[in-house]
Amino acid sequence: ERVSRKHIKCRADIDMLTVPLLRIYESLIPPKEEKEKQMQLLTSLEKLVVNEWPHAHLCLFGSCANSFGVSNSDVDVCLVLRDADIDKSEILLKLAEILQSANFQNVQALTRARVPIIKLKDPVTGVSCDICINNVLAVVNTKLLRDYAQIDVRLPQLAFIVKHWAKSRGVNETYQGTLSSYAYVLMCIHFLQHRDPPILPCLQEAKIVTYQQIVDNIECAYFDQVEKLKTFGSDNKESVARLVWGFFHYWAYCHDYANTVVSVRTKNTVSKRSKDWTRRIGKDRHLICIEDPFETSHDLGRVVDKYSIKVLREEFERAATILQAYPNPCEKLFEPF
Ligand code: CTP
Ligand code: MG
């Protein structure tokens, strides 16, 4: 049985940690030149692609386009082909051949993955890149994350710190049963939507829809004029340090893992029961449930198993304890595991 520490008050001097935490955040922001290198790579890839498939184009997604990218991240690229009835493996193998002849390094086609991709490294810019095909939902959810990041700077600040913590502590590895960066960012958005007063709105619940697209039979609709929401969170004066503490405290002691699903789509509480995520189906155990904002049948926590859930929860508790009790928590918090 876990001790309930739900009602613990935050340490009185918490705001003092904002300066060192923001220093870490700033050190993680990629320099301008990096963006230029990424665009250079995209341009050279696009030339090769259009040469073979004249109606195709490339889109960036993931951390290089959602504004949650730290420096030296891999670039995620989506090849968009008009024809829906394509054999993705065939296209990827063809593309791999083209890329190899164009002297890209470490070209690998992973055609059997859940999302088939090509991995490569560009010898000119030194940038590594993953290319997938027609993953338009990922392009759209990338835009949603980027739009949320515009509303209140405390979102990118919190999310960079959480991602940095997750990478340092080894809990950002989906193949080992821990969570993706994408899942962590959604957890941050959800957390900020539920502060009192809220720091972020729920864009998919806005009365006015300004962005709408149907992708893979899924309707993606929300209010995307985020420049009008710049003051949304201004009644909430919480410091970044308090939010970082609050985030870990929430996941360590307050989240109801047995019954609730984290969803940024709605401000209502979503129950596991309402989604039929209460039972184990195949490999999916739903031990921590994070709903994809558009593909709502997708639980980003489904990679988590009975061992890794323990690892995750212990890491949340460790982080909460360090932030609560250590005189100099910043170093300890990000200590390599
Ligand atoms: N994605 C998704 N569904 C998932 C995982 C990822 O749609 N289950 C898409 C999202 O668009 C996400 C992108 O793939 O933005 C990249 O995912 P991930 O590598 O988790 O996030 P990054 O933001 O690229 O993080 P990192 O900096 O760690 O590369
Ligand atoms: Mg990525």
Side-chain angles (χ1 to χ4, degrees):
E1 266 306 280
R2 279 163 201 281
V3 200
S4 175
R5 299 209 172 82
K6 217 169 177 161
H7 302 294
I8 287 185
K9 263 187 131 179
C10 183
R11 67 200 277 173
D13 62 352
I14 188 77
D15 295 341
M16 265 178 31
L17 298 179
T18 291
V19 169
L21 285 170
L22 285 183
R23 204 169 287 145
I24 292 167
Y25 161 70
E26 272 149 26
S27 72
L28 296 167
I29 298 174
K32 260 216 178 81
E33 307 86 72
E34 211 168 293
K35 192 89 251 149
E36 287 157 19
K37 280 187 189 171
Q38 292 172 353
M39 296 323 283
Q40 193 185 332
L41 169 60
L42 194 69
T43 310
S44 60
L45 289 174
E46 193 137 45
K47 268 189 203 142
L48 294 170
V49 162
V50 172
N51 194 32
E52 179 70 29
W53 298 281
H55 299 294
H57 69 274
L58 296 178
C59 288
L60 287 177
F61 70 102
S63 62
C64 57
N66 65 17
S67 68
F68 295 99
V70 304
S71 45
N72 301 316
S73 301
D74 290 0
V75 176
D76 297 299
V77 176
C78 174
L79 167 61
V80 184
L81 291 165
R82 262 201 216 152
D83 193 355
D85 279 331
I86 45 161
D87 180 343
K88 287 190 183 176
S89 305
E90 204 174 292
I91 305 258
L92 281 180
L93 292 171
K94 176 80 204 158
L95 181 57
E97 211 175 278
I98 294 169
L99 294 166
Q100 224 136 26
S101 330
N103 288 326
F104 283 100
Q105 294 171 335
N106 311 347
V107 179
Q108 262 180 298
L110 308 179
T111 53
R112 284 154 179 244
R114 191 179 69 87
V115 179
I117 55 166
I118 291 183
K119 289 187 158 295
L120 62 89
K121 187 174 171 168
D122 175 18
V124 180
T125 58
V127 175
S128 293
C129 159
D130 291 351
I131 307 176
C132 63
I133 301 177
N134 284 1
N135 192 0
V136 182
L137 267 178
V139 177
V140 175
N141 68 38
T142 292
K143 173 175 158 58
L144 180 72
L145 264 49
R146 185 174 63 236
D147 287 336
Y148 270 115
Q150 304 297 310
I151 299 171
D152 196 297
V153 70
R154 287 172 290 183
L155 170 61
Q157 290 168 343
L158 172 65
F160 269 56
I161 290 163
V162 168
K163 277 181 65 175
H164 180 51
W165 161 84
K167 287 183 205 288
S168 311
R169 299 299 302 165
V171 289
N172 180 209
E173 309 286 357
T174 47
Y175 67 92
Q176 288 179 349
T178 56
L179 299 169
S180 65
S181 298
Y182 178 55
Y184 282 113
V185 175
L186 292 173
M187 288 157 79
C188 292
I189 294 173
H190 175 267
F191 173 74
L192 297 178
Q193 286 173 330
H194 289 269
R195 298 313 288 169
D196 184 20
I199 294 178
L200 293 177
C202 179
L203 294 175
Q204 289 169 272
E205 247 175 10
K207 289 194 192 77
I208 309 165
V209 168
T210 54
Y211 174 86
Q212 194 166 22
Q213 211 170 321
I214 293 172
V215 183
D216 304 341
N217 288 320
I218 294 172
E219 163 155 66
C220 306
Y222 67 96
F223 181 77
D224 76 339
Q225 295 177 1
V226 285
E227 64 287 349
K228 296 187 180 147
L229 297 171
K230 287 275 185 206
T231 56
F232 180 90
S234 58
D235 288 341
N236 182 310
K237 309 285 183 210
E238 288 177 291
S239 69
V240 173
R242 192 170 291 265
L243 295 170
V244 172
W245 176 87
F247 179 86
F248 288 116
H249 184 77
Y250 173 78
W251 286 101
Y253 310 117
C254 308
H255 181 66
D256 181 359
Y257 288 80
N259 299 301
T260 64
V261 172
V262 164
S263 168
V264 306
R265 170 180 59 89
T266 169
K267 279 213 78 168
N268 299 331
T269 306
V270 177
S271 69
K272 284 169 71 164
R273 186 178 297 276
S274 71
K275 311 211 45 134
D276 202 19
W277 284 352
T278 48
R279 305 168 287 129
R280 172 177 177 177
I281 299 178
K283 272 186 167 174
D284 300 357
R285 290 168 180 271
H286 305 296
L287 300 172
I288 173 172
C289 296
I290 302 151
E291 181 194 63
D292 186 89
F294 299 123
E295 203 180 356
T296 54
S297 63
H298 185 43
D299 174 11
L300 295 158
R302 74 176 173 195
V303 291
V304 178
D305 59 38
K306 65 177 179 185
Y307 302 104
S308 59
I309 187 67
K310 200 160 166 276
V311 172
L312 272 171
R313 295 189 62 172
E314 281 170 7
E315 282 297 331
F316 291 136
E317 287 170 22
R318 174 188 178 274
T321 306
I322 290 171
L323 286 162
Q324 180 71 357
Y326 274 60
N328 259 323
C330 283
E331 210 171 303
K332 187 84 185 160
L333 185 61
F334 304 103
E335 200 168 78
F337 66 106

